[in-house]
Amino acid sequence: MPLRTNSLASSWRASFAAFGGILYGYDTGIISGVQAMEDWLRTFGVPVAVSTTNPTGYMISTGQKSLVVSILSAGTFTGALIGAPVADICGRKWGTILATLVFSVGVAMQVAATAWPLFIVGRVIAGLGVGLVSVLIPMYQSECAPKWIRGAVVSGYQWAIAIDRDADAAAALARLTGTSPDDLSVREDLDDIRANLEEERRLSSSSYLDCFRVGEPNKICFRMVTGMALQGWQQLTGINFIFYYGTTFFQNSGVGNAFLVSVATNVVNVFMTIPGIWGVERFGRRRLLLVGAIGMCVCEFIVAIAGVTLPKTNLAGQKVLVAFVCIYIAFFASTWGPIAWVVVGEIYPLNVRAKGMSFAAASNWLWNFGIGYATPYLVDAGPGNANLQEKVFFIWGTTCFCCIVFTYFCIPETKGLSLEQIDILYTHSTPRTSGKLRARLLAEDVHAADHRAFEKEVGEEIRDDNNSGNEKV
């Protein structure tokens, strides 16, 4: 049976696991609208005169707005940090079940709340569940999905820890991929797992300190920092400014029916993720990240310029602002939204994968907290606030330009490579020069079982090239 047919079962499992992202999307999708709901504002806010910026007659302070949005990230940061031990102790499956139960408890507390303390605690607990999911789901997907759809062959971390049990490992892997334990693809995957495990044992890297050890041949420190920085830059694109504060931002910008516009931006975000899912294996990670960063950068500056040059009473100006915000979201949803998680699920070696993804997810939530907390003070009017309004998009446009530079120098193309081949790629190339080696890895179909011989050959070629260059000099 062809490999793609055999691996449909694992594809469906990995795809179904993606529904864990609903926990994150649930909150980011509704919190902007919740803050503008009359019933919620009546419960937690104070009465004020009805105006364009306060159409419900109630409001919460800038500090309360900052707290209600950002406090979730305090929980998610903690959840992401403990994601690694939870993954190793409970496993991916039961860890995810635990995370969803924790999230459900947090949501129940928020729904039942009639005062700030219970609502805030509920958001922290819900955040804890979301943080756990943000580590466990990408980890599960990268380990279970076949490389023709995810760019990574089954690495089988949970099977590797029981590799003295070859028969059980083969049976588990066959069940996951919908094949026979004697299938050639299963044997090749097990050989990859076994060889990679032996190599990682040889390197003896397993502690948190080893995650940042400089000078390792597989550039483990660079990979750790890259994953953490990638998640930080994803947040610094400014996307959650729209999802957390979009409704109030559009109201203050003079956009009519700001709530419906906010709903529209969420619809764009959902449906434009589909092209990203399709394009990640067709066009690659690096290329789409570059295209997405360029597109967002252009849109952000157009929104900023339109916001400061056109009056709020200009209907055409409102439409331009909304249109380019939607285009900006479309670029994010089809590139940086999903692909940042794809990359961090691929770039870490086996022995530190759980810890690496935990650090990367924690970085995401730490920046999420900082941006969520600071944004109301940057945007709102009032004593002590910056009152930037639409000018805040100049900041997001600048950070998106930084995303372009970061991607060009730090993100290699990993499309089509197994997790073990990615190790080879990092060891013998840089992100800017990785294309040639990647093409060779794919052409020669190098497996972990024979990667040492391949690396020796590549190393000799590199030395020959250097010697040749010295002779020419």
Side-chain angles (χ1 to χ4, degrees):
M1 185 179 294
L3 178 59
R4 292 199 176 192
T5 303
N6 291 342
S7 56
L8 282 177
S10 59
S11 304
W12 279 111
R13 288 186 180 94
S15 300
F16 184 77
F19 280 91
I22 289 176
L23 300 192
Y24 178 26
Y26 161 83
D27 191 87
T28 57
I30 71 165
I31 194 62
S32 174
V34 165
Q35 293 179 85
M37 292 173 59
E38 182 177 355
D39 183 68
W40 188 86
L41 286 171
R42 186 183 294 112
T43 301
F44 298 104
V46 295
V48 294
V50 176
S51 65
T52 303
T53 57
N54 295 296
T56 64
Y58 295 88
M59 66 169 291
I60 59 174
S61 68
T62 298
Q64 290 174 320
K65 187 188 302 182
S66 173
L67 179 64
V68 75
V69 170
S70 64
I71 197 64
L72 178 94
S73 299
T76 55
F77 177 76
T78 304
L81 285 180
I82 66 175
V86 168
D88 290 340
I89 296 171
C90 301
R92 281 56 164 159
K93 173 183 175 180
W94 289 106
T96 302
I97 292 173
L98 173 64
T100 55
L101 289 175
V102 171
F103 177 78
S104 298
V105 170
V107 171
M109 293 173 69
Q110 293 177 69
V111 172
T114 57
W116 274 109
L118 182 60
F119 188 84
I120 296 302
V121 172
R123 284 191 62 73
V124 173
I125 293 176
L128 186 66
V130 174
L132 285 168
V133 164
S134 69
V135 175
L136 294 166
I137 292 299
M139 190 185 305
Y140 177 82
Q141 289 177 310
S142 64
E143 292 172 349
C144 294
K147 67 180 180 181
W148 60 271
I149 60 166
R150 271 284 291 112
V153 77
V154 179
S155 68
Y157 185 93
Q158 60 267 52
W159 299 299
I161 61 176
I163 204 68
D164 294 333
R165 296 167 56 190
D166 286 354
D168 291 339
L173 184 55
R175 184 168 61 251
L176 180 69
T177 58
T179 60
S180 165
D182 298 324
D183 190 271
L184 176 62
S185 63
V186 171
R187 293 201 299 271
E188 288 179 347
D189 288 345
L190 285 177
D191 287 341
D192 278 355
I193 294 167
R194 190 179 295 107
N196 195 58
L197 179 65
E198 290 303 319
E199 181 69 9
E200 299 300 344
R201 284 174 174 169
R202 183 179 69 83
L203 293 174
S204 300
S205 298
S206 58
S207 70
Y208 280 96
L209 180 61
D210 289 326
C211 294
F212 299 94
R213 197 175 297 279
V214 178
E216 292 294 321
N218 61 356
K219 302 176 184 175
I220 190 169
C221 181
F222 174 73
R223 293 156 76 171
M224 293 293 298
V225 174
T226 295
M228 294 169 65
L230 179 64
Q231 291 292 336
W233 285 119
Q234 186 206 52
Q235 291 300 305
L236 285 167
T237 60
I239 190 66
N240 281 329
F241 166 73
I242 297 296
F243 294 137
Y244 287 157
Y245 303 108
T247 302
T248 53
F249 167 75
F250 288 126
Q251 285 176 346
N252 295 337
S253 299
V255 175
N257 210 332
F259 185 81
L260 287 182
V261 173
S262 184
V263 171
T265 60
N266 280 281
V267 171
V268 171
N269 185 49
V270 170
F271 284 98
M272 286 307 296
T273 303
I274 298 173
I277 296 172
W278 169 78
V280 67
E281 291 301 338
R282 183 175 179 86
F283 303 111
R285 288 79 162 128
R286 178 182 169 89
R287 181 182 300 177
L288 285 184
L289 287 175
L290 284 171
V291 170
I294 293 170
M296 288 189 292
C297 182
V298 172
C299 290
E300 300 267 33
F301 281 122
I302 290 176
V303 170
I305 293 170
V308 299
T309 58
L310 299 175
K312 294 181 180 180
T313 56
N314 188 317
L315 183 60
Q318 292 182 17
K319 292 180 179 179
V320 168
L321 187 147
V322 172
F324 276 96
V325 166
C326 288
I327 295 172
Y328 150 69
I329 293 173
F331 272 111
F332 175 86
S334 57
T335 57
W336 278 78
I339 296 175
W341 294 102
V342 171
V343 172
V344 299
E346 295 177 334
I347 64 175
Y348 300 121
L350 176 67
N351 62 319
V352 295
R353 288 196 69 248
K355 297 179 179 67
M357 296 188 69
S358 175
F359 277 123
S363 173
N364 181 292
W365 296 117
L366 182 62
W367 283 102
N368 189 301
F369 171 79
I371 293 169
Y373 187 84
T375 295
Y377 296 101
L378 291 174
V379 176
D380 290 357
N385 296 340
N387 192 26
L388 292 179
Q389 298 296 330
E390 295 89 346
K391 292 189 288 290
V392 74
F393 279 92
F394 283 115
I395 296 177
W396 305 139
T398 303
T399 55
C400 284
F401 177 80
C402 293
C403 289
I404 301 171
V405 177
F406 169 78
T407 301
Y408 181 76
F409 287 103
C410 299
I411 304 296
E413 182 53 69
T414 56
K415 179 173 78 78
L417 298 179
S418 70
L419 300 180
E420 292 75 23
Q421 290 171 332
I422 292 173
D423 253 346
I424 300 173
L425 190 75
Y426 270 101
T427 301
H428 295 288
S429 68
T430 66
R432 291 190 300 130
T433 63
S434 59
K436 183 177 179 181
L437 181 57
R438 173 183 166 273
R440 184 173 175 184
L441 286 167
L442 291 174
E444 300 183 20
D445 195 22
V446 177
H447 289 278
D450 53 19
H451 81 274
R452 288 187 187 177
F454 179 85
E455 287 185 311
K456 182 179 179 181
E457 180 183 345
V458 171
E460 291 174 351
E461 292 176 2
I462 293 174
R463 285 193 295 272
D464 290 342
D465 289 342
N466 291 336
N467 291 334
S468 176
N470 291 333
E471 290 174 0
K472 290 179 180 179
V473 173

